[in-house]
Amino acid sequence: MTPRLRTVVAVAGAALLVRRAMRRRIEASPLWPMPALEPPTSGQPRSRALRPLVTSHKTVADGVVQLRLEARRLPGWEPGAHLDVVLPSGLVRQYSLCGDPADTSSYTIAARLVADGRGGSREVHEQVVEGMELEVRGPRNRFALVGAASYVFVAGGIGITPILSMVRALPEGTAWRLLYCGRSRASMPFLAELAGDDRVTVLAEDEDGRPDLDALTVPEGTAVYCCGPEGLMAAVEERFPAVELRRSGRTLTVPADTTVLAAVRAELPDTAYSCAQGFCGTCQQRVLEGEVEHRDELLTDAERADSMLICVSRARSGRLVLDL
């Protein structure tokens, strides 16, 4: 065997040994075989955007059209989810899904015409027609329905669309109430489906109807959902401030007649407390976000900058995030 041939054989043998060693190392690795990745939570990427066909475009209330989008196989969704819809002009608008989540062959959305808007709603009303393909992305869900002992829903006008899918999805026997508000009954979509239910209160402004949020009783453990105009959302936030427990991944509502401590202990019964009157400091919690209405007699100004006693203090308005 020539020296050159011996060199080639030696190199080939070394390479074979390296490959065998690498194979043994890979097979012994906890990542072998590589685990399948979960579907991306952000929905379909642009390269895989869906293009369902508009099979229905009809008026369902004054200034409101409903679209049915069909395709052979569509990604599933849960109540509260929305679609990003790419309109013919290239504008992208978000619309809540309000059909049947079990139907994987179609999506249903509804859009109100906004006369002084930026043109997206007018395009949906006037340029989107039956037989047209629309590019959509999603579904995405940033308004998910959480498990709760009971529910209170507040919807204003087109804000009924995500609420409608939630109400339909509740298990039989679940306690819930819906306050549905609008400018007039003629402008309120899906009213015929909801108005006959004694759990639904309908208030139309042209009938002197004004939302009386104080009249809504919210037992402990009730989840409150609201979707509608900014004024309605602000009123609900003030009446039912939300408290997010960041580490626990939960969001609670705290009605006016309930303390933050009581709402938190309904979810986290081991939360420490003692006097429940704002004197001892046992229930002090760190505040990550939000403005606090301090009602205690203990904390210094420096301590109040990033903490609160949840037995007596409350959210000043809107939302609080606690390190719990």
Side-chain angles (χ1 to χ4, degrees):
M1 183 180 295
T2 65
R4 183 176 180 180
L5 181 58
R6 282 198 296 271
T7 301
V8 170
V9 171
V11 170
L16 179 62
L17 291 174
V18 169
R19 284 198 298 272
R20 287 176 178 173
M22 287 297 295
R23 185 179 297 113
R24 286 194 296 270
R25 178 172 294 182
I26 290 172
E27 290 174 349
S29 169
L31 295 180
W32 182 264
M34 290 295 289
L37 296 177
E38 295 182 357
T41 58
S42 59
Q44 299 288 334
R46 184 174 179 81
S47 61
R48 296 178 56 196
L50 307 166
R51 299 193 65 87
L53 188 70
V54 180
T55 60
S56 175
H57 182 289
K58 64 180 181 180
T59 299
V60 292
D62 288 352
V64 179
V65 296
Q66 176 182 290
L67 277 64
R68 181 179 174 88
L69 311 174
E70 294 188 15
R72 176 177 294 181
R73 185 169 174 269
L74 295 169
W77 58 281
E78 295 182 349
H82 71 272
L83 288 177
D84 296 336
V85 178
V86 183
L87 299 174
S89 67
L91 288 174
V92 179
R93 294 292 183 266
Q94 289 72 43
Y95 296 102
S96 295
L97 288 159
C98 53
D100 180 3
D103 182 2
T104 59
S105 65
S106 73
Y107 290 146
T108 300
I109 58 176
R112 179 178 296 284
L113 178 62
V114 182
D116 57 350
R118 293 177 294 171
S121 66
R122 186 167 297 280
E123 194 171 346
V124 172
H125 278 246
E126 299 177 359
Q127 298 183 34
V128 174
V129 296
E130 293 181 8
M132 173 187 289
E133 282 189 347
L134 276 184
E135 179 180 332
V136 302
R137 305 169 193 165
R140 298 176 175 86
N141 198 342
R142 297 175 183 148
F143 193 42
L145 183 66
V146 301
S150 58
Y151 298 84
V152 167
F153 301 100
V154 182
I158 197 64
I160 191 61
T161 49
I163 301 297
L164 185 66
S165 65
M166 293 180 178
V167 168
R168 288 171 174 165
L170 293 177
E172 187 175 352
T174 301
W176 62 271
R177 291 185 62 194
L178 166 63
L179 177 61
Y180 185 14
C181 315
R183 293 192 304 272
S184 66
R185 288 178 177 262
S187 70
M188 300 167 70
F190 311 111
L191 186 59
E193 177 180 341
L194 295 166
D197 194 314
D198 59 7
R199 294 167 293 188
V200 179
T201 300
V202 177
L203 296 177
E205 292 179 12
D206 64 350
E207 299 173 354
D208 294 325
R210 291 290 186 273
D212 183 9
L213 300 180
D214 290 333
L216 287 174
T217 57
V218 183
E220 191 171 307
T222 297
V224 179
Y225 283 82
C226 176
C227 188
E230 289 185 8
L232 179 64
M233 298 281 286
V236 170
E237 284 186 351
E238 186 173 351
R239 174 69 175 84
F240 308 112
V243 176
E244 177 187 340
L245 310 183
R246 179 62 55 82
R247 283 186 285 119
S248 303
R250 310 182 194 192
T251 300
L252 318 173
T253 54
V254 186
D257 57 352
T258 303
T259 65
V260 176
L261 174 64
V264 168
R265 282 182 56 82
E267 294 290 327
L268 304 176
D270 292 333
T271 303
Y273 77 104
S274 182
C275 74
Q277 298 181 56
F279 298 128
C280 72
T282 304
C283 68
Q284 182 175 344
Q285 299 294 339
R286 191 158 72 98
V287 178
L288 303 179
E289 296 176 28
E291 187 177 359
V292 180
E293 180 183 327
H294 293 283
R295 300 178 179 179
D296 65 274
E297 302 291 338
L298 179 71
L299 299 183
T300 65
D301 289 344
E303 290 172 325
R304 287 181 173 185
D306 64 357
S307 63
M308 66 182 290
L309 300 189
I310 62 173
C311 65
V312 291
S313 298
R314 301 182 61 83
R316 185 171 296 278
S317 64
R319 177 170 165 272
L320 277 179
V321 180
L322 301 182
D323 187 22
L324 267 172

